[in-house]
Amino acid sequence: MTAETTNDTGSDPAPATAAGPPTAAPRGAVRPSERALAPDLARGLMLLFIVLSNTAFHLWASRYGPSGWQPVNGGRLDRAVQFTMITVLDLRVYPLFAFLFGYGMTQLFLRQKAAGTAERDVVRILRRRSLLLIVIGLLHSGLLMAGDIVGYYGLLSLALGWLFLRRGDRALKWWMWIGATLMAISAAQPVVTVLLQGDLGAVGDAGAEPGAEAYAAGEESWLAAAGTRVVTGAFVTFAAAPASLIGGAYVVFLLGFWAARRRILEEPGQHLRLLRRTALIGVPVGWLGGLPAALAHVGAIDVPGDAQSESGVLTALREITGGAAGLGYVAAVALFAHWWTRRPDRRGARAVDAVSAVGKRSLSCYLTHSLIFAPLLAAWGLGLGEHLTSATMALVAVGVWLVTVAGAYALERAGRRGPAEALLRRLMYRS
């Protein structure tokens, strides 16, 4: 989301003084000439994936199955949408976000250092950025959207930036292997239990409260809903984020650090073999990992409810393969960007520019989703979520995303940043 939205243009280097070597005031935003298509386009498409993935929580009058994530009611078209969401998007979008977040964070760090900014000043800017994102995330969750991820990644960036940003590639690789091992062990535990007991339902709890309840979209009182959202937002930021550090989910974040040091998204033509392998392996692995849960959800296979629950074996399989899908999506976008920039005619340039404009203003567009969704769909607002199904909700989500595309493109044509990016940069650089 905010991977590169905080890189600003800035000041000229300060002259040398007798006190020591030349230093530079922190530079600000990334200049237009420095931008690359792939990162912006990936963030723009990621916002579409996120808004689609969040649709289920707004259907507050629907019935939820054992997973507590997607509704179980609706017709054939709704089931097709639910099947697609589980296979392609759920637990697959956030690894994509984590990679882009880590990538953009490293871009900011390297760009500031290349401009001559002292390393301690760059670290201070990044620390301030992380703290601001935590505040923005908590405000967002309390006011509108309980499942905010800005605060979650703000806390992750605070910890991982401090621990790893200045470390060498060798340390990064060691900790990525450690993280991957921790994730494999975590995913293997329910699988081993199921195999030993010979029962898919040996792990999980189908009777747990549906995750959608934590969003309080069905509360008729905004104040009551806000109370639930505050608790959910605090849990996501201060409990789920530290847990992901312990469980190894940070590995995709560190992969973003590693990839940014090699400018893989800025120079995809130099890394075509890696990108092709990542896309051709990652996407199928991710989709196959979500397929059993999707088939069980629509009733195509008979699986115990406990196995489908959030703590069940099918969810564990989705989580462990989600990172592969997220990385595959990034690689596919980078390959498209390489192909696109080499096309002589560039047909559809306006559409590509518009989606990229969303990526440049990803924080503003992300918050705009909630500004539209919450009062339109929640019971304390117009309550339209009561009358929508999975299919119609997906259409609304695409419509909301298109609204942000139109707004971002208008700002791009006018040469203006998104309002959230402008505010965040002013607070980051205090100028």
Side-chain angles (χ1 to χ4, degrees), residues 170-200:
R170 185 177 180 182
L172 275 186
K173 291 178 181 178
W174 269 107
W175 281 99
M176 283 191 289
W177 278 112
I178 291 171
T181 302
L182 289 172
M183 289 181 66
I185 292 173
S186 176
Q189 287 177 341
V191 175
V192 171
T193 302
V194 164
L195 291 175
L196 290 176
Q197 298 192 19
D199 179 12
L200 279 175

Side-chain angles (χ1 to χ4, degrees), residues 83 200 290-304 308 314:
F83 181 92
L200 279 175
L291 186 60
L295 291 171
H297 182 85
V298 299
I301 57 176
D302 186 18
V303 175
Q308 300 179 53
L314 296 189

Side-chain angles (χ1 to χ4, degrees), residues 38-413:
D40 289 333
L41 189 60
R43 281 192 294 272
L45 290 172
M46 177 194 68
L47 266 292
L48 173 60
F49 298 159
I50 285 179
V51 74
L52 283 168
S53 186
N54 286 337
T55 55
F57 303 118
H58 299 285
L59 301 174
W60 50 270
S62 296
R63 290 183 293 108
Y64 289 86
S67 72
W69 195 277
Q70 290 287 343
V72 294
N73 55 303
R76 291 184 178 180
L77 186 57
D78 298 304
R79 289 306 180 97
V81 170
Q82 294 158 14
F83 181 92
T84 304
M85 293 283 191
I86 294 171
T87 306
V88 177
L89 295 181
D90 292 349
L91 301 177
R92 276 114 188 82
V93 178
Y94 296 119
L96 165 62
F97 181 91
F99 177 88
L100 292 173
F101 200 109
Y103 195 100
M105 187 175 173
T106 305
Q107 283 182 307
L108 189 155
F109 179 79
L110 296 176
R111 189 173 289 117
Q112 289 281 354
K113 286 194 64 178
T117 308
E119 191 171 271
R120 64 179 181 276
D121 292 330
V122 185
V123 171
R124 189 178 298 116
I125 291 169
L126 287 168
R127 185 185 304 121
R128 191 181 305 139
R129 172 183 184 253
S130 298
L131 293 171
L132 287 168
L133 291 176
I134 292 172
V135 172
I136 291 172
L138 293 175
L139 287 173
H140 180 217
S141 61
L143 294 172
L144 294 169
M145 170 62 170
D148 171 83
I149 54 173
V150 174
Y152 175 94
Y153 284 107
L155 192 142
L156 282 184
S157 66
L158 187 66
L160 296 176
W162 173 61
L163 290 170
F164 296 111
L165 200 57
R166 288 175 285 179
R167 287 180 176 266
D169 283 351
R170 185 177 180 182
L172 275 186
K173 291 178 181 178
W174 269 107
W175 281 99
M176 283 191 289
W177 278 112
I178 291 171
T181 302
L182 289 172
M183 289 181 66
I185 292 173
S186 176
Q189 287 177 341
V191 175
V192 171
T193 302
V194 164
L195 291 175
L196 290 176
Q197 298 192 19
D199 179 12
L200 279 175
V203 178
D205 181 10
E209 182 179 78
E213 295 294 325
Y215 289 72
E219 285 282 358
E220 295 186 359
S221 165
W222 178 88
L223 192 59
T228 301
R229 288 195 303 266
V230 167
V231 173
T232 303
F235 174 83
V236 170
T237 302
F238 299 116
S244 70
L245 292 174
I246 298 171
Y250 64 83
V251 64
V252 183
F253 204 107
L254 294 188
L255 276 170
F257 285 7
W258 178 86
R261 292 178 180 181
R262 286 151 182 79
R263 297 179 58 83
I264 289 176
L265 297 186
E266 291 98 328
E267 300 170 353
Q270 305 299 317
H271 308 277
L272 291 177
R273 188 176 181 182
L274 172 64
L275 291 170
R276 286 170 181 152
R277 285 184 175 181
T278 303
L280 291 175
I281 296 174
V283 174
V285 167
W287 288 8
L288 288 173
L291 186 60
L295 291 171
H297 182 85
V298 299
I301 57 176
D302 186 18
V303 175
D306 289 339
Q308 300 179 53
S309 67
E310 291 192 48
S311 54
V313 66
L314 296 189
T315 300
L317 179 62
R318 293 163 64 199
E319 288 180 337
I320 195 64
T321 56
L327 294 174
Y329 293 158
V330 174
V333 173
L335 289 170
F336 171 82
H338 173 70
W339 169 79
W340 171 261
T341 54
R342 294 165 62 88
R343 284 188 66 184
D345 54 350
R346 302 275 182 97
R347 291 183 181 179
R350 185 172 298 179
V352 172
D353 291 344
V355 176
S356 299
V358 173
K360 297 174 186 178
R361 297 158 183 84
S362 53
L363 180 58
S364 295
C365 292
Y366 173 71
L367 296 176
T368 300
H369 294 168
S370 299
L371 285 172
I372 298 174
F373 265 148
L376 183 68
L377 302 172
W380 53 261
L382 295 179
L384 297 184
E386 179 182 12
H387 309 290
L388 296 174
T389 65
S390 295
T392 53
M393 183 68 240
L395 291 176
V396 172
V398 173
V400 170
W401 179 75
L402 289 174
V403 168
T404 63
V405 170
Y409 187 57
L411 290 174
E412 180 76 8
R413 295 288 298 272

